[in-house]
Every structure is written in structure tokens, then in C-alpha cells.
Amino acid sequence: MALRPDEFYAHALEAADEERRLPLARMTGWDISPFAPAGLTVSALREPVLPEPPRHGEDPADCRSCERRDEGLWLTDNWRLTRIPKAGVPLILMLHPREHHDLADLPDELAAELGVLTKHIAKHIQALPHISRAHVYRIGDGGAHLHVWFFARPEGQSQLYGSWLVVWDDLLPEYPDDVAAADATLVVDALLASYGGRRP
């Protein structure tokens, strides 16, 4: 059984200093880290907050994703694909179920579709010129409506490898919107050909 919140907090504090700061992560020493370890400090570890605050859209009546169920670059009866503007990386797409589901309550048939769609979307992102990888993330702490992120990693930028990519995205200047929109159109064209669906 997982540690209770108070046990987890006490366990973490065993490694912290008198200001409740944990040592720097090993990741900050990686050559792909966007931060130089010298002078870098970790925020103080805060006590657990219980109960946790509700995520956006816990009540489907207040869910923005449900309100936008017919919007996006691409649709099927079950899914929609959107583009995240103002990104630092070349392209960020997001896949949402059109009905209100989170990952843990996604019906099996939609879960199977999610796997196949993830493969198709990643393949089409990686087929774009000057894109090496499509990173795929599901986090779910901010919103109760399932949303899967697809980040395009630019070719040759080995410093943007791995889990630091989302941090680099926040640090990089805004990527040209017209280029990102054109690449999103190419992904949608390829998705229409390989999987089906429609433009809204």
C-alpha cells in the first residue's frame, strides 16, 4: 500500500535541509538540463493539502473541453484534435475524447482507439520536415477531462531530449504561428488519410 500523505511528506523531509529543501535532482546535472546547477535551489517542500482541490471539469457541466466538443482541427464521433498556440517547440497538439472521460474511466473500446490514434498522430508528427520525435504525455492533475499532449521535438536539438522538453518549451521564444499552423494541417491531412475522421 502506498504511504499516506503525512507519511510521504515525513519520508521526503528526511532528505531535506532545515528549510525543507530537497537536494537538486540528478537530472539537473544532465547535459540536456536547461539549468546550470550552480546557484540553483529547490523550492521548499510544502505540507500536503487534503482534501485536494478539485480539478477543472470534475463536474461535466463546468467542463470547458465538453463545451468545445465540436471544435478542433480534426474530429471523429469519439475524438477531437486541437493545437496549442504560443508554444516554444515547433508544434503541440492535444487529443481529447468528445465525451467526458478521464483515463481511468475511459471505456475499453475508446482506450483501444486511443492507443491506435496515439500511434498515428505520433507517426505523422515525426514525418514532418525537421522534426525528430513526438513526445506523448498524459498528466491529468489540472483537468478531469482526458487530454493527451503531443510535443514535436525539433531535429538536431539534442539538448531538448527527454522529459526536459516541456520545460524547454516554456523557456523558448514563441515559435512562428504560421509555421506551426501549416505543420498541424499536414498532420491532419495525413491523419485523414491513415485513420479517417473529418475537419469540423
Side-chain angles (χ1 to χ4, degrees):
M1 180 189 303
L3 297 176
R4 294 188 321 265
D6 59 317
E7 293 173 329
F8 182 90
Y9 182 66
H11 171 73
L13 287 181
E14 291 175 7
D17 65 16
E18 62 279 355
E19 294 179 324
R20 300 188 327 270
R21 295 179 190 277
L22 294 165
L24 287 179
R26 292 181 304 277
M27 293 171 62
T28 57
W30 294 356
D31 64 354
I32 60 172
S33 172
F35 306 110
L40 191 63
T41 60
V42 177
S43 296
L45 187 63
R46 296 187 291 262
E47 293 185 27
V49 175
L50 296 170
E52 290 191 6
R55 299 176 296 169
H56 170 77
E58 293 284 6
D59 179 353
D62 299 323
C63 177
R64 283 190 299 272
S65 190
C66 288
E67 291 171 6
R68 299 173 181 154
R69 69 181 312 275
D70 297 324
E71 298 174 13
L73 306 171
W74 171 89
L75 298 171
T76 68
D77 290 345
N78 296 324
W79 299 95
R80 67 188 188 98
L81 187 68
T82 60
R83 179 172 70 92
I84 304 301
K86 302 181 186 294
V89 296
L91 183 63
I92 302 176
L93 299 177
M94 187 178 283
L95 183 65
H96 321 248
R98 292 182 68 199
E99 297 298 326
H100 193 80
H101 296 290
D102 200 355
L103 185 61
D105 66 27
L106 197 64
D108 286 351
E109 61 274 11
L110 291 185
E113 286 181 11
L114 175 60
V116 174
L117 270 171
T118 297
K119 185 261 284 209
H120 280 261
I121 295 167
K123 174 183 173 182
H124 300 321
I125 290 172
Q126 290 179 186
L128 293 169
H130 312 300
I131 300 299
S132 288
R133 296 282 175 275
H135 290 209
V136 182
Y137 304 97
R138 181 274 178 174
I139 301 164
D141 285 329
H145 193 121
L146 175 62
H147 50 289
V148 179
W149 301 79
F150 294 82
F151 281 67
R153 182 179 64 72
E155 182 180 33
Q157 293 294 322
S158 60
Q159 199 172 5
L160 276 60
Y161 279 14
S163 52
W164 280 114
L165 181 64
V166 293
V167 178
W168 278 109
D169 171 66
D170 202 41
L171 296 168
L172 289 165
E174 189 175 322
Y175 194 79
D177 190 66
D178 58 333
V179 178
D183 281 346
T185 298
L186 291 175
V187 171
V188 169
D189 288 345
L191 190 57
L192 289 167
S194 71
Y195 188 87
R198 63 190 183 279
R199 287 189 168 87

